Amino acid sequence: MPVKILMVCLGNICRSPLAEGILASKLPKEKFLVDSAGTGSWHIGRAPDSRSIATAKKNGLNIANQKGRQFATSDFDAFDYIFVMDNNNYSNVIDLAKNEMQKNKVQLILNEIFPNENVDVPDPYYGMENGFNIVYKMLDEACEVIAHKLIAKHS
Ligand code: 4NP
């Protein structure tokens, strides 16, 4: 059974698809499975935002084949680790948790590089093109730390 990691944002078209692609690229496929979901339902079944696809491509990653889906309570049991992009995602996901074990799986992703600071990955959806580059950099740094930890813990 692979170790399963879920990346969560609001729409599942901008930030979490990038986080999924970046973390998956840093982990061996035989041992780890990375997925993403949104707390909202607007973009179910859709490909990631074209700006996220382009930013990933510039960095050598193909995320074009991902499909948007909504976070479900069954994800608490299906996944070992749940990383959320911002404090709103955190509240929305925690509100769905049934017990402490489920709550403990949920972490703000940037706490991996700024421990306990509860910093948000900014939502780039309504912003400028460069917002996607900034988001990419933040996620790449955080995923580097996550990948090292996961590989050390599960090998
Ligand atoms: P994401 O960005 O949460 O990073 O995927 C968003 C994408 C779409 C919307 C909100 C955030 N929206 O309201 O449609």
Side-chain angles (χ1 to χ4, degrees):
M1 276 278 281
V3 177
K4 295 173 82 180
I5 305 107
L6 184 67
M7 299 296 191
V8 178
C9 65
L10 176 59
N12 193 211
I13 56 166
C14 295
R15 292 166 292 176
S16 60
L18 278 173
E20 175 187 336
I22 293 168
L23 185 63
S25 76
K26 296 178 189 291
L27 292 171
K29 282 187 184 33
E30 322 78 66
K31 280 195 182 162
F32 297 94
L33 186 149
V34 189
D35 191 12
S36 64
T39 58
S41 60
W42 311 284
H43 305 288
I44 293 172
R46 300 238 188 99
D49 187 286
S50 58
R51 297 165 294 177
S52 281
I53 293 176
T55 305
K57 196 172 174 190
K58 256 194 321 204
N59 289 279
L61 299 180
N62 177 10
I63 63 164
N65 299 323
Q66 293 184 24
K67 272 215 166 78
R69 74 168 178 91
Q70 190 170 22
F71 181 84
T73 52
S74 55
D75 288 323
F76 284 115
D77 295 326
F79 288 86
D80 303 295
Y81 300 90
I82 299 170
F83 289 103
V84 294
M85 301 297 124
D86 66 30
N87 283 275
N88 283 326
N89 308 148
Y90 185 83
S91 311
N92 290 333
V93 171
I94 287 290
D95 283 350
L96 297 171
K98 288 197 196 72
N99 54 48
E100 285 305 304
M101 204 185 90
Q102 293 188 343
K103 285 184 187 171
N104 289 337
K105 289 187 178 181
V106 188
Q107 303 294 336
L108 269 168
I109 192 165
L110 290 188
N111 276 351
E112 297 295 325
I113 46 175
F114 305 119
N116 305 314
E117 291 192 20
N118 300 336
V119 179
D120 289 343
V121 179
D123 186 346
Y125 187 62
Y126 293 106
M128 310 295 244
E129 191 79 28
N130 196 41
F132 286 76
N133 292 324
I134 294 165
V135 163
Y136 190 95
K137 263 200 167 158
M138 291 173 163
L139 291 176
D140 192 51
E141 277 186 37
C143 288
E144 189 69 24
V145 173
I146 293 168
H148 277 111
K149 277 194 197 168
L150 287 175
I151 290 168
K153 190 159 179 203
H154 298 279
S155 59

